[in-house]
Amino acid sequence: MPKILIVDDGKTMVKIIAQVLEKNGFEVVSAYDGQEAVIKAREENPDLIILDLNLPRINGFMVCRILKYDEKYSHIPVILLTARKSMADKWDGIKVGADAYLTKPIDTDILLEKVKQLL
């Protein structure tokens, strides 16, 4: 069963995404700030990470960069899921190694499709 780390400071958002993923056969772990995200990614070694950008302590761009520039974790696909819709933000996401960039409000069918595609 593939394991997915969901990182968002919105507990409701984490809950919604977790329910959709669990219903579709994925194991879910969660984190609510950037520092916790890096720690959980290293402890849990997930198969994929869904990552918000606006996070307390360390922002999502930095979390992605930390993990993607570490040989042990660079293989883990990262989906940035954010309310930030600008091309500059999307470009920054690509520069730090994100594998996909989706915007909120999220269509859970599109998210699920992207998860399956990256796994």
Side-chain angles (χ1 to χ4, degrees), residues 48-94:
L48 184 138
I49 299 170
I50 298 172
L51 178 63
D52 188 17
L53 290 178
N54 298 322
L55 294 169
R57 298 167 99 183
I58 304 173
N59 73 40
F61 288 126
M62 201 59 177
V63 171
C64 188
R65 182 178 169 81
I66 289 166
L67 296 172
K68 287 294 190 173
Y69 285 76
D70 185 328
E71 254 180 49
K72 280 184 172 170
Y73 308 101
S74 63
H75 68 282
I76 301 171
V78 174
I79 298 173
L80 295 179
L81 178 58
T82 180
R84 294 164 69 165
K85 294 177 165 77
S86 79
M87 281 309 293
D89 286 329
K90 289 178 185 176
W91 180 243
D92 288 343
I94 291 167

Side-chain angles (χ1 to χ4, degrees), residues 3-41:
K3 185 187 303 182
I4 299 176
L5 172 60
I6 304 169
V7 186
D8 198 302
D9 58 337
K11 289 189 175 10
T12 303
M13 179 61 71
V14 170
K15 194 175 187 179
I16 291 167
I17 296 169
Q19 285 175 342
V20 169
L21 293 172
E22 287 168 347
K23 206 183 297 180
N24 284 275
F26 297 100
E27 180 183 346
V28 173
V29 290
S30 55
Y32 300 97
D33 67 57
Q35 188 172 340
E36 184 185 12
V38 172
I39 292 166
K40 284 255 176 106

